[in-house]
C-alpha cells in the first residue's frame, strides 16, 4: 500500500518541544518573585491562564496585529490582574520578562519521542519541515537548544505576516517542502488551529493529543468526531509513521 504522504510538516511548541513544561517553570519563577501571595497549589491555574490566552493577545499576534513583546506584556499584565498582583507596565515589563523569558529559554527540551520520529520519517524517504506561529529565528534557536536542529523551519509568523489557522500558511509550508498539499501531513497539538485548519487547507491533519496536554478550552474536544472527518488523532509522535502508512 502506498504511503499517504510524501512530506510531513510539524508544529514546534508542545509538538516537538515541551513548551508547556517550560512555561510551568517560567511562571513558577514569576509567582515566587511577583505573586508571592499565590500558593503553590494554584500554580497550575497560572499555567492554564497563560496557555489559554483569555485576552486573545497571542491570537492577535498570530494575525499580524501586534508584535511578540507587546502581546507578552499584555498577557503578563492580565495574569497579574487576574491573580491579584501589581500591574505590569511598560516600565516594569523589562525586568518581568527577563525573569520569565530567561527561565523559559533555559527550560527548552524536546519530548522523548521527537528525535526518533524525525529520524524514522527521514528514513522512510519523507520530507520533513516545520510550520510555526512563532518567529523563524526563535524556533530555530529553540530546536537547536532541544537537540532537534536537523529539521528546517520553513514558515513562521514572520514569513507571511500572519500565522495559523490561515490556510495560506499550510499551503506555503507544503510549497517550500516541495510536496503536493494533498500528500502532505501537518502535525500539531491544537485540534482547531493545527489539525482542523490543516485538514481544511487540503493537507492530512494530525492532532497530537498528548495525555494531560490539552488546554482548558480543549478539554471537551470530541476526538472521535475529528477522526470521523478524516483527521488523524494520536496520543504521541511514536505512532505517526504507521498512521501515515510509512
Amino acid at each position: 500500500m502506498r504511503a499517504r504522504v510524501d512530506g510531513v510538516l510539524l508544529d514546534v511548541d508542545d509538538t516537538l518541544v515541551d513548551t508547556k513544561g517550560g512555561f510551568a517553570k517560567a511562571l513558577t519563577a514569576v509567582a515566587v518573585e511577583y505573586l508571592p501571595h499565590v500558593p503553590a497549589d494554584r500554580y497550575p491555574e497560572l499555567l492554564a491562564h497563560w496557555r489559554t490566552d483569555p485576552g486573545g493577545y497571542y491570537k492577535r499576534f498570530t494575525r499580524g496585529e501586534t508584535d511578540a513583546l507587546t502581546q507578552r506584556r499584555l498577557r503578563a499584565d492580565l495574569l497579574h490582574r487576574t491573580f491579584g498582583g501589581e500591574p505590569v507596565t511598560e516600565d516594569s515589563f523589562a525586568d518581568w520578562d527577563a525573569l520569565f523569558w530567561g527561565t523559559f529559554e533555559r527550560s527548552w527540551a524536546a519530548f522523548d519521542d521527537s528525535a526518533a520520529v524525525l529520524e524514522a520519517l527521514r528514513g522512510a524517504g519523507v520530507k520533513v519541515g516545520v510550520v510555526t506561529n512563532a518567529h523563524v529565528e526563535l524556533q530555530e534557536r529553540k530546536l537547536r537548544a532541544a537537540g532537534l536542529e536537523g529539521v528546517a523551519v520553513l514558515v513562521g509568523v514572520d514569513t507571511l505576516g500572519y500565522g495559523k489557522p490561515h490556510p495560506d500558511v499550510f499551503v506555503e509550508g507544503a510549497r517550500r517542502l516541495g510536496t503536493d498539499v494533498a500528500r502532505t501531513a501537518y502535525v500539531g497539538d491544537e485540534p482547531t488551529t493545527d489539525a482542523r485548519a490543516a485538514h481544511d487547507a487540503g493537507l492530512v491533519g494530525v492532532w497530537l493529543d498528548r495525555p494531560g496536554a490539552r488546554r482548558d478550552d480543549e478539554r471537551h474536544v470530541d476526538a472521535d468526531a475529528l477522526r470521523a472527518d478524516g483527521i488523524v488523532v494520536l496520543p504521541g509522535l511514536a505512532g505517526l509513521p504507521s498512521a501515515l502508512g510509512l
Side-chain angles (χ1 to χ4, degrees):
M1 182 180 69
R2 187 187 181 196
R4 294 179 64 180
V5 301
D6 301 313
V8 174
L9 298 168
L10 299 105
D11 185 28
V12 174
D13 296 303
D14 290 319
T15 298
L16 292 171
V17 176
D18 183 11
T19 305
K20 177 185 176 184
F23 280 145
K25 293 177 181 178
L27 290 165
T28 294
V30 164
V32 170
E33 179 68 21
Y34 292 101
L35 303 169
H37 58 281
V38 176
D41 61 5
R42 293 194 66 194
Y43 288 179
E45 295 177 43
L46 298 175
L47 178 60
H49 185 281
W50 189 264
R51 295 181 76 226
T52 54
D53 182 33
Y57 301 121
Y58 190 77
K59 291 182 178 64
R60 287 176 56 193
F61 167 66
T62 64
R63 294 194 298 266
E65 297 171 2
T66 189
D67 62 86
L69 283 177
T70 298
Q71 65 86 21
R72 200 152 70 233
R73 177 178 61 79
L74 293 173
R75 290 168 74 187
D77 183 56
L78 181 57
L79 179 81
H80 275 225
R81 288 191 284 114
T82 300
F83 289 90
E86 293 294 320
V88 178
T89 66
E90 292 187 11
D91 290 336
S92 66
F93 175 65
D95 288 340
W96 188 97
D97 200 46
L99 175 62
F100 173 82
W101 197 255
T103 305
F104 177 56
E105 285 201 1
R106 290 189 294 273
S107 303
W108 289 340
F111 286 105
D112 292 341
D113 53 8
S114 296
V117 166
L118 291 173
E119 183 178 353
L121 292 173
R122 295 190 191 100
V126 173
K127 295 181 178 181
V128 179
V130 161
V131 170
T132 171
N133 265 2
H135 287 105
V136 170
E137 185 274 336
L138 168 63
Q139 300 299 60
E140 289 174 340
R141 286 195 293 112
K142 189 179 294 176
L143 290 169
R144 283 196 301 272
L148 302 174
E149 65 273 15
V151 56
V153 180
L154 301 176
V155 179
V157 71
D158 48 336
T159 302
L160 300 178
Y162 51 87
K164 303 172 294 182
H166 198 290
D168 290 356
V169 176
F170 302 101
V171 173
E172 178 65 10
R175 187 190 72 79
R176 292 183 178 222
L177 195 63
T179 53
D180 182 79
V181 169
R183 291 191 53 78
T184 305
Y186 185 79
V187 186
D189 65 293
E190 297 188 53
T192 302
T193 301
D194 291 328
R196 170 68 68 183
H199 173 271
D200 291 350
L203 289 78
V204 178
V206 181
W207 180 31
L208 190 61
D209 185 21
R210 292 186 185 276
R214 293 191 188 187
R215 294 163 176 79
D216 282 1
D217 55 357
E218 297 168 349
R219 295 197 184 281
H220 302 295
V221 172
D222 188 342
D224 288 335
L226 292 176
R227 291 188 183 96
D229 288 340
I231 293 170
V232 178
V233 181
L234 298 173
L237 284 174
L240 181 63
S242 60
L244 298 177
L246 301 172

